[in-house]
């Protein structure tokens, strides 16, 4: 196999993964649509379900042990299909990403295209792994939708041919710093998604509407989001520090307020703010959730707009 | 079951903190009064008139509150944004010049606001200094409190456990069960789980664990202050300098040998540790196979030899990701390029100047520009602006203004020549890389009517107006630009950063919780009650109480009430 062959296989795998994710997205969306309409039906006949009766206090809804019994919307066929498709898509995705690394003879995260592959693979990976403890399938629509879109943008707009590493990137810090940054991004992404759902649920609650079935209460969502985001924060802190050490080796100073450094710092501070908000009276709940979403918005801004349009030393997008 | 799921992270609303009645323990660990775990402020109390001290105290309490910390944090994030939108003097001085040229009016406003120096501007400094004052005001009382908490026994068992998170109790046991022993058993179990325990004989056990959470949190915040101090104070002892060295040339670490040197506030030139560094060889490797990456750099290696006083010459290498540590300094390989050697002769054929001139790269293929000055030895002072292409297009292209490949495949140097006063001997410093042509007359090149001079290696051409000749020597040496830093604070900053990280992980992931096991006597026998209380976020409190209850009741042969 020549390098060109491997690159082709890698792309084929990525395109296939996108197709499978798109199918998974449709399945998740069907499931969600069904739940929403069921919620309406239940609203019409209030006596039917446990969840409907327990209202705000039903924090136990998504506990693995009692979920099936307490959930009227038992995992539907379409959600199970969607999960299976997500797993298949993920295997293709990871395979394609690894092949890209093999073709380049190094880790597959040295330019924007490769970083997009790795980062989205991590988002799906975290999504799948977290299911072992916590049923997060209601996030499937968001996660598969986001990743399909992101891969679409990456393959059409960020694609670059395999190229050798420029001297500044030839460092083991590339392996550590960038990988941990993608891990952090993955955790932040899921945390922000939970925060979005939390805001939606809280809105329904405050309007006196029924919560979406099989979606936890806002309090539970907030607790879950917090747990994912603090893990993301630890990774992000590490990224910041590892980046400083690497900058010292490659550029001769550990901190120089380069645009990318500035944005990494801004994101770090926003999430430190989020953690504080969670500990500040009057800021728990929807306000801190908004901060988490703003924080992830900044992560995405840092990855796309800052990489493409801002001038700085981190010009490694390859574009 | 569902009704008792009230660990603080799941359900705590600001105002129903479950321990509002738990004097004297409610403020442990100590938190600003608007922390969600602190008791809610009492409404309706009339504030006494404040007085000066009262106002100061009020102001200080505001400054060290959670709300202020949060506000200042978000403000720092926000204030850091403009500096990323506009080039900064420190990281991109040329960008600033270009920006000012492109937006003259708007730049004046930005300049007045200090936006080109955002991160050392008054307003940015004011925000982060306030934040750190708030931080110090927050951590000092917490640290004092924590030090005494570390030596204190766990708090009293609350009168009623049934309102606390995770509450469970056993079925009633016959009255003759040995309560004393049961309590001792509970103590043993908790002790083995790493709890600090306090026994109230015959009644209850109170236990607490996770003091490290607060320790970690404090270390995290204190180490942040440490980083700020190390950077702020230590910055005065730093010096950084730049030096361009052509292959074969040497650099001595003395103030006068730098091209530019920026010393910190407390730095004096005799603190430079003396050494000599000679660039013996420079190798650049470019991609030649991969068509989509042709000419991209693969490796830069500078071979140098260094000598400290009293030592012998040492051969060493510098690469982009591996700086050289020599005599208190770090030497970084930041840039490189070509330094064509030019020889100027007068009409009689006598050499008036021979010099290797570093040319600045303009693009990835090392299209480079440089300046030659000939102040003496000819009838007129001459200045020349050169464009050097390491690989010029041989015949197929129409214009050859940029290089096709960074290696020396087909080099060509073109020169525009100016005559006039070069400004030597005036006080204004002369920039080695640019020529101010405002008071000079172009005598060869674009606007002069005469063609510019074109040189290839080994070739000699005549200067205009019979002034003499100029030769491009065959061998075209490379140069490197080195950054030389002395930064005694690095190790401090790194150590504090490691503390920040370790403190963060312990502060976030070690749960701090209290547990109680209590024997409650009733007419028909004894029941044992279990409950816990989270201090800070703790997603697993209920599980932990359930596990304890399970273990203890099994030991007693009792079962848990469903
Ligand atoms: C330099 C600015 C600051 C940063 C970057 C920062 C960051 C953080 C982070 C990341 C945490 C969670 C980590 C842990 O628990 O170990 C935290 C917790 C905390 N911080 Fe800060 N902080 C700052 C300033 C302050 C200030 C000024 C105060 C006091 C008003 C404060 C009070 C607290 C408290 C009480 C907690 C514990 C929250 C809880 O109960 O979980 N921090 N801070």
């Amino acid at each position: 196999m020549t390098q060109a062959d491997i690159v082709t296989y890698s792309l084929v795998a990525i395109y296939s993964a996108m197709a499978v994710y798109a199918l998974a997205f449709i399945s998740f969306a069907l499931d969600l649509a069904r739940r929403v309409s069921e919620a309406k039906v239940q609203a019409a006949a209030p006596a039917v379900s446990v969840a409907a009766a327990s209202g705000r206090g039903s924090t136990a809804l998504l506990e693995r042990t009692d979920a099936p019994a307490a959930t009227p919307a038992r995992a539907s066929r379409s959600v199970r299909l969607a999960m299976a498709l997500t797993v298949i898509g993920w295997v293709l995705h990871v395979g394609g990403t690894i092949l890209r690394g093999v073709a380049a003879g190094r880790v597959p995260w040295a330019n924007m295209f490769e970083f997009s592959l790795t980062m989205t693979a991590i988002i799906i990976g975290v999504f799948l792994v977290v299911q072992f403890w916590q049923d997060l399938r209601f996030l499937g629509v968001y996660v598969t939708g986001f990743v399909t879109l992101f891969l679409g943008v990456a393959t059409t707009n960020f694609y670059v041919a395999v190229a050798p590493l420029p001297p500044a990137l030839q460092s083991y810090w590339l392996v550590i710093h960038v990988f941990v940054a993608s891990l952090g991004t993955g955790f932040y992404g899921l945390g922000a998604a939970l925060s979005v759902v939390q805001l939606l649920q809280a809105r329904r609650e405050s309007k006196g509407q029924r919560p979406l079935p099989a979606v936890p209460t806002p309090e539970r969502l907030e607790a879950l989001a917090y747990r994912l985001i603090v893990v993301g924060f630890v990774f992000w802190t590490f990224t910041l520090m590892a980046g400083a050490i690497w900058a010292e080796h490659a550029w001769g100073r550990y901190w120089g307020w380069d645009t990318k450094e500035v944005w990494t710092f801004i994101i770090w501070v926003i999430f430190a703010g989020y953690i504080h908000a969670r500990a500040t009276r009057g800021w728990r709940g929807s306000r801190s959730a908004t901060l988490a979403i703003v924080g992830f918005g900044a992560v995405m801004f840092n990855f796309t707009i800052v990489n493409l349009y801002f001038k700085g030393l981190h010009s490694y997008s390859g574009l | 079951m569902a009704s008792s799921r009230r660990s603080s992270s799941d359900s705590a609303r600001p105002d129903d903190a479950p321990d509002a009645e738990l004097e004297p323990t409610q403020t442990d660990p100590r938190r600003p009064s608007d922390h969600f775990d602190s008791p809610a402020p009492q409404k309706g109390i009339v504030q006494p008139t404040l007085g000066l001290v009262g106002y100061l105290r009020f102001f200080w309490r505001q400054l060290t509150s959670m709300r202020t910390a949060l506000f200042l944090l978000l403000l720092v994030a926000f204030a850091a944004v403009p500096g990323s939108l506009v080039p900064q003097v420190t990281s991109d001085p040329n960008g600033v010049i270009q920006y000012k040229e492109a937006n003259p009016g708007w730049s004046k406003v930005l300049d007045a606001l200090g936006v080109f120096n955002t991160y050392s501007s008054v307003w940015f400094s004011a925000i982060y200094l306030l934040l750190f004052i708030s931080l110090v005001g927050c951590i000092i009382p917490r640290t004092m409190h924590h030090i005494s908490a570390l030596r204190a026994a766990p708090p009293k068992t609350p009168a009623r456990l049934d309102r606390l998170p995770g509450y469970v109790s056993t079925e009633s046991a016959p009255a003759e069960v040995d309560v004393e022993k049961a309590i001792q058993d509970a103590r043993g179990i908790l002790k083995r789980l790493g709890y600090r325990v306090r026994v109230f004989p015959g009644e209850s056990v109170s236990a607490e664990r996770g003091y490290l959470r607060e320790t970690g949190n404090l270390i995290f915040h204190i180490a942040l202050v440490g980083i700020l101090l190390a950077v702020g104070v230590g910055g005065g002892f730093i010096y950084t300098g730049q030096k361009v060295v052509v292959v074969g040339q040497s650099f001595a670490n003395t103030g006068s040998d730098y091209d530019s040197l920026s010393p910190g506030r407390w730095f004096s030139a005799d603190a430079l540790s003396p050494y000599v560094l000679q660039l013996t060889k420079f190798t650049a490797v470019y991609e030649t196979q991969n068509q989509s990456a042709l000419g991209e750099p693969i490796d830069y290696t500078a071979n140098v030899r260094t000598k400290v006083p009293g030592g012998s010459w040492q051969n060493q290498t510098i690469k982009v990701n591996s700086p050289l540590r020599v005599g208190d300094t770090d030497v970084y390989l930041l840039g490189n390029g070509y330094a064509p050697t030019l020889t100027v002769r007068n009409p009689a054929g006598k050499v008036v100047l021979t010099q290797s001139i570093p040319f600045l790269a303009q693009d990835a293929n090392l299209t480079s520009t440089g300046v030659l000055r000939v102040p003496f030895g000819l009838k007129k002072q001459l200045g020349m602006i050169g464009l050097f292409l390491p690989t010029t297009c041989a015949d197929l292209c129409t214009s050859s203004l940029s290089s096709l490949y960074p290696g020396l495949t087909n080099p060509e140097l073109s020169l525009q020549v100016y005559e006039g006063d070069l400004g030597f001997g005036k006080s204004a410093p002369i920039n080695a890389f640019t020529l101010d042509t405002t008071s000079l007359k172009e005598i060869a090149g674009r606007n002069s009517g005469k063609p510019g001079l074109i040189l290839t290696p080994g070739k000699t051409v005549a200067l205009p107006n019979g002034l003499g000749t100029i030769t491009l020597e065959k061998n075209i040496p490379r140069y490197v630009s080195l950054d030389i830093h002395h930064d005694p604070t690095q190790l401090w900053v790194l150590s504090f950063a490691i503390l920040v990280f370790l403190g963060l992980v312990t502060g976030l992931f070690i749960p701090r919780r209290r547990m109680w096991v209590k024997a409650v006597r009733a007419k028909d026998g004894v029941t044992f009650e279990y409950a816990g209380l989270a201090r800070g976020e703790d997603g697993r409190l209920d599980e932990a109480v359930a596990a304890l209850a399970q273990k203890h009741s099994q030991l007693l042969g009792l079962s848990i009430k469903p």
Side-chain angles (χ1 to χ4, degrees), chain B residues 398-469:
Chain B
T398 45
S399 88
S400 52
L401 285 177
S402 55
S403 170
L404 301 179
Y405 179 77
L408 279 179
T409 323
N410 186 16
E412 183 185 278
L413 172 69
S414 53
L415 295 167
Q416 288 165 262
V417 186
Y418 296 83
E419 65 174 37
D421 184 359
L422 295 177
F424 278 90
K426 303 221 174 88
S427 57
I430 285 180
N431 185 330
F433 294 105
T434 57
L435 184 68
D436 180 2
T437 57
T438 41
S439 57
L440 302 178
K441 180 170 153 243
E442 185 166 357
I443 54 173
R446 267 174 248 153
N447 311 315
S448 66
K450 285 187 204 156
L453 311 180
I454 307 282
L455 286 161
T456 51
K459 195 170 160 193
T460 301
V461 298
L463 292 165
N465 307 340
L467 286 166
T469 62

Side-chain angles (χ1 to χ4, degrees), chain A residues 34-91:
Chain A
R34 199 183 43 80
R35 281 192 212 183
V36 172
S37 64
E38 255 172 34
K40 290 208 183 102
V41 172
Q42 282 167 22
V48 179
S49 90
V50 185
S54 56
R56 190 180 176 114
S58 62
T59 40
L61 255 192
L62 268 217
E63 292 300 298
R64 273 212 309 158
T65 43
D66 39 17
T71 313
R74 166 193 295 280
S76 68
R77 191 172 309 151
S78 57
V79 83
R80 273 178 287 149
L81 176 67
M83 285 304 285
L85 286 171
T86 311
V87 172
I88 295 170
W90 190 63
V91 171

Side-chain angles (χ1 to χ4, degrees), chain B residues 103-183:
Chain B
N103 318 279
W106 178 227
S107 296
K108 290 219 181 66
V109 180
L110 294 181
D111 227 354
L113 294 173
V115 178
F116 295 111
N117 277 304
T118 298
Y119 306 103
S120 50
S121 69
V122 179
W123 45 275
F124 191 78
S125 313
I127 298 171
Y128 75 74
L129 285 178
L130 262 184
L131 176 61
F132 274 88
I133 293 171
S134 166
L135 178 55
V136 170
C138 179
I139 49 186
I140 289 176
R142 280 174 57 192
T143 309
M144 316 277 264
H145 184 90
H146 188 55
I147 288 171
S148 56
L150 279 177
R151 288 184 305 237
K156 272 211 200 103
T157 311
R160 292 183 58 187
L161 293 185
D162 58 350
R163 294 181 52 195
L164 289 169
Y167 169 79
V168 283
S169 77
T170 60
E171 302 280 6
S172 173
E176 63 271 21
V177 78
D178 186 350
V179 172
E180 200 60 55
K181 178 166 174 304
I183 292 295

Side-chain angles (χ1 to χ4, degrees), chain A residues 233 275-276, chain B residues 31 35 64-65 69 134-135 138 142 217 220-221 507:
Chain A
F233 186 75
I275 293 176
H276 272 226
Chain B
R31 294 288 185 249
H35 188 276
T64 57
S65 70
S134 166
L135 178 55
C138 179
R142 280 174 57 192
N217 183 298
F220 168 85
H221 285 94

